[in-house]
Amino acid sequence: MIRFLAPLLVCCGLVAGQTAQEWLQEGVNAFKAAQYDEAIDNFKQAIALEPKSVPALLHLAAAYMATPEDGEKARLGRETYARVLELEPKNLKASGAMAALSFAQVGVAGADLEDARRWQLRLLELQPDAKEAHFALGVIAWTRFYPAWQAARRRAGLKPEDAGPFKDSKLRASMKAEWGAVLQEGMDHLERAFALDPGYDEALARLSVLMRERADLSDNQYAWLAEVKKADALLKRASHR
């Protein structure tokens, strides 16, 4: 009976006696050859033999994410990274991947910005000098603030080309109370990203945008103008490299 089953086992990829490490290596080889579906199958075989194998789970997640246009595989990739973090809460690769995946959704309608923020902060706990996480937190702060800033300018009767600040002291006070800490956090992280990489012009440009928009919360036109000038200087610095 075994003599008849052996060819069937081989053709179906269920090689008798094959170890988890061997399945893992076959998956790595298939992944390198861009044969992602085969790689996924091989990594699954390795995990079936060793369910808590973090290397196999990380490779499986990467194989799922190799075709991000496939929404189902992207979902499975995220779930697999989450499984890694259940086993190793401080796994840097999985934390970095989850931070990157959550940030990729920022700007998409219905994105969970607080979830994206939490993942960046979690990554920074493990890797304080992760400049991409600092940059992401700056962008997330801007994404949260921008709709409220636009709405406030409309309430103030300001056209896009009109100078600030908001003349209504109550509007300024309410905006500061609600958004002051958010803006400062975002700017602090962008400054940190630039400090870590002085060539990070995108961080400098984003910082300029946040500074210019925050200027509308200034108490008077002199303070508004000073803030705008600083923002313009940053943007000029970034664009003339």
Side-chain angles (χ1 to χ4, degrees), residues 202-230:
E202 193 173 359
L204 206 59
R206 289 282 187 168
L207 178 58
S208 170
V209 170
L210 266 182
M211 188 175 291
R212 173 175 276 278
E213 293 174 359
R214 187 180 70 168
D216 279 346
L217 280 58
S218 301
D219 289 330
N220 55 63
Q221 194 165 17
Y222 296 106
W224 177 88
L225 185 59
E227 188 91 335
V228 168
K229 283 183 175 179
K230 286 193 292 184

Side-chain angles (χ1 to χ4, degrees), residues 25-37:
Q25 187 56 56
E26 286 194 17
V28 169
N29 294 340
F31 186 91
K32 289 180 178 178
Q35 298 170 346
Y36 301 123
D37 287 338

Side-chain angles (χ1 to χ4, degrees), residues 34-216:
Q35 298 170 346
Y36 301 123
D37 287 338
E38 181 179 339
I40 288 169
D41 290 340
N42 289 331
F43 295 140
K44 283 182 175 179
Q45 294 284 3
I47 293 165
L49 293 171
E50 294 184 9
K52 295 184 178 182
S53 171
V54 168
L57 286 166
L58 285 171
H59 279 94
L60 176 61
Y64 279 134
M65 300 308 301
T67 51
E69 66 278 2
D70 186 325
E72 177 61 15
K73 285 182 179 177
R75 182 186 66 78
L76 291 170
R78 188 181 178 102
E79 287 182 357
T80 306
Y81 281 125
R83 285 177 62 191
V84 170
L85 291 171
E86 288 175 1
L87 296 169
E88 292 184 3
K90 294 185 178 182
N91 187 281
L92 186 57
K93 286 186 177 180
S95 295
M98 291 295 277
L101 289 169
S102 65
F103 181 56
Q105 295 302 306
V106 172
V108 176
D112 189 338
L113 297 177
E114 188 55 38
D115 180 67
R117 177 176 175 272
R118 282 194 297 268
W119 280 114
Q120 310 312 315
L121 292 173
R122 181 169 179 171
L123 176 57
L124 288 176
E125 289 178 2
L126 303 176
Q127 191 176 15
D129 290 345
K131 67 175 185 180
E132 294 83 1
H134 287 293
F135 175 77
L137 285 165
V139 174
I140 290 167
W142 175 83
T143 305
R144 294 172 63 192
F145 174 67
Y146 183 71
W149 173 73
Q150 280 194 315
R153 282 185 67 87
R154 286 193 296 269
R155 288 200 303 274
L158 293 174
K159 298 177 182 178
E161 66 274 14
D162 287 343
F166 300 133
K167 293 180 180 180
D168 186 336
S169 60
K170 290 183 178 180
L171 176 59
R172 291 199 307 270
S174 65
M175 289 291 286
K176 285 180 184 179
E178 184 173 2
W179 296 105
V182 173
L183 290 169
Q184 191 60 56
E185 177 184 298
M187 293 172 69
D188 288 345
H189 282 292
L190 289 169
E191 288 176 351
R192 180 59 180 156
F194 184 71
L196 289 167
D197 180 3
Y200 206 164
D201 288 346
E202 193 173 359
L204 206 59
R206 289 282 187 168
L207 178 58
S208 170
V209 170
L210 266 182
M211 188 175 291
R212 173 175 276 278
E213 293 174 359
R214 187 180 70 168
D216 279 346

